[in-house]
Each structure stands twice: as structure tokens, then as C-alpha cells.
Amino acid sequence: CIDTITDESGIALVHPGKTIGFEPLESRHSSDGLFFAIDRLFKAAGIKPSDLDGVVVMKGPGSFTSVRVGVAVANPFAHQLNIPIAGLTTDEFYAHKTEDPDFLYLQTMNREEVYTVGFGKYQSKIKTPILPLADLPEGKGIPWLGQLSPEHQAALPEGYKAITNPKNTQDTWASVCDSVFKSKKAQKAYELVEPYYAKEAKITPSKRRLIIGKIQ
């Protein structure tokens, strides 16, 4: 399992029902040492890449670089080994961290916007995944889980309640793999995983001026 995106980024090695190895990656520099982490994990478990039955990769949303790095490593890995590969969004990963069926997944995208996915009874309340913080649904005791900046946490509408005692990273990956590879959808030998950014990339004014200057 390859995660170069979340606050819990790392490489996990999962046997059915149990994570047997985990190598954390520095969340802000998750591409650094990625292959070394994979190599250490294999050596510690005494296995070879050819022993793998499948690959799971976090495909987004996240920073452009972190998303691309994880997917760019996972795709050829699965292709060369001719094994199933599954791409996982951050909200799908975090859904395995709690037994609560009804909650909001929240992830800071930029200063103004939040990636928002509703689960259970909150699913119908979210019409689009990218919302301004001010447009989040209001209510009492709304449980949430995810990756919000301290500024966004402080600005949440009154009544939001963070889910306590989520599963740790290793247990979450074990749950993810049990779910993904029991699905008929994930049993193809290989299918390209595309990065998921949740929104179209925008060219900032400074980058636009730089591009125009180069063209001139």
C-alpha cells in the first residue's frame, strides 16, 4: 500500500486481516526515500516484489507532486508484476478509520475551500466535493473526520464534533485491503490508476505572467 498524500503517509505491507509492516514517510516530503522504504519493508518481511498479490495507492486529492509521485510508482509496479491495482481517495481511506456510518470527511484544499464528502445520512447534503468553508452544512453534533488545517478547524460551524479514537494507520490499511480485494471491481490483473485532484488546476496570476513572459 502506497500513500504519499495524507498526514499518515507511508508504505504498508498487508497480509489478509493484518498489516505486517509499515514504513512511515515524512508527510511534507513523502517522495523522499520512497523506494528505500519499500526495499526496507520487503527485507524486513523476507519477501520479494513477486510475492505480492496486489497494490493499493492513494490517488488524491492532495498536492500535485505528492499525488503524482504515488501514482507514478504504483502503476508500473503493478503493471510489471501483472497484479491487481486499486486507487483510493483520501475520503475512502478515512472511512475505514471509523465504525460511525454517518459523518463528514473534511480536507483542507486551500485557504478558502474544503474537500467535503458525506457518508451515511450526510451523503445527500453534499452536492459537490469542493466547498467554501462558509457553505458547509450546519447542524448539531455533526461528526467529522479528516485533514483540516488548524485555521479551518477553528472556523468550522458551531456544532461540528471531531470523531475520537479513530483506527491507527496499520489497522486502517488492513481494513482497506480486506475490503478492496474482496471486491470484484479490483480483481482485474491491471488497470491504470489516474490521479484524482477533485478540481481543475488553476494557474495563479504570478505563474500566468511567468508563462506569458517565456512565450514572448
Side-chain angles (χ1 to χ4, degrees), residues 25 90 188:
L25 297 170
T90 52
K188 294 181 180 179

Side-chain angles (χ1 to χ4, degrees), residues 127-178:
K127 306 301 181 184
T128 177
I130 304 298
L131 292 174
L133 195 64
D135 290 348
L136 287 174
E138 296 185 356
K140 293 183 179 180
I142 296 179
W144 72 273
L145 190 64
Q147 305 175 93
L148 287 181
S149 67
E151 292 77 15
H152 279 176
Q153 290 189 42
L156 283 174
E158 186 177 354
Y160 275 56
K161 182 179 179 181
I163 291 175
T164 57
N165 299 319
K167 292 180 184 176
N168 62 36
T169 307
Q170 290 89 331
D171 289 344
T172 303
W173 275 122
S175 175
V176 165
C177 289
D178 281 354

Side-chain angles (χ1 to χ4, degrees), residues 36-153:
F36 293 108
I38 294 174
D39 187 55
R40 286 194 301 270
L41 201 58
F42 285 171
K43 287 180 178 177
I47 69 167
K48 305 181 296 297
S50 58
D51 294 322
L52 294 180
D53 293 323
V55 175
V56 182
V57 60
M58 298 289 279
K59 66 177 182 178
S63 73
F64 180 84
T65 300
S66 61
V67 169
R68 299 292 292 188
V69 166
V71 171
V73 170
N75 274 322
F77 209 88
H79 181 264
Q80 291 299 312
L81 294 171
N82 196 30
I83 56 178
I85 183 172
L88 205 69
T89 57
T90 52
D91 54 285
E92 290 172 330
F93 176 79
Y94 272 78
H96 286 271
K97 295 184 74 66
T98 178
E99 301 297 331
D100 192 335
D102 306 309
F103 71 97
L104 290 180
Y105 173 77
L106 304 175
Q107 177 179 331
T108 295
M109 295 295 285
N110 52 46
R111 186 176 297 177
E112 293 83 20
E113 296 175 318
V114 178
Y115 175 68
T116 309
V117 179
F119 288 87
K121 67 181 183 182
Y122 297 107
Q123 184 175 3
S124 61
K125 296 183 179 294
I126 308 300
K127 306 301 181 184
T128 177
I130 304 298
L131 292 174
L133 195 64
D135 290 348
L136 287 174
E138 296 185 356
K140 293 183 179 180
I142 296 179
W144 72 273
L145 190 64
Q147 305 175 93
L148 287 181
S149 67
E151 292 77 15
H152 279 176
Q153 290 189 42

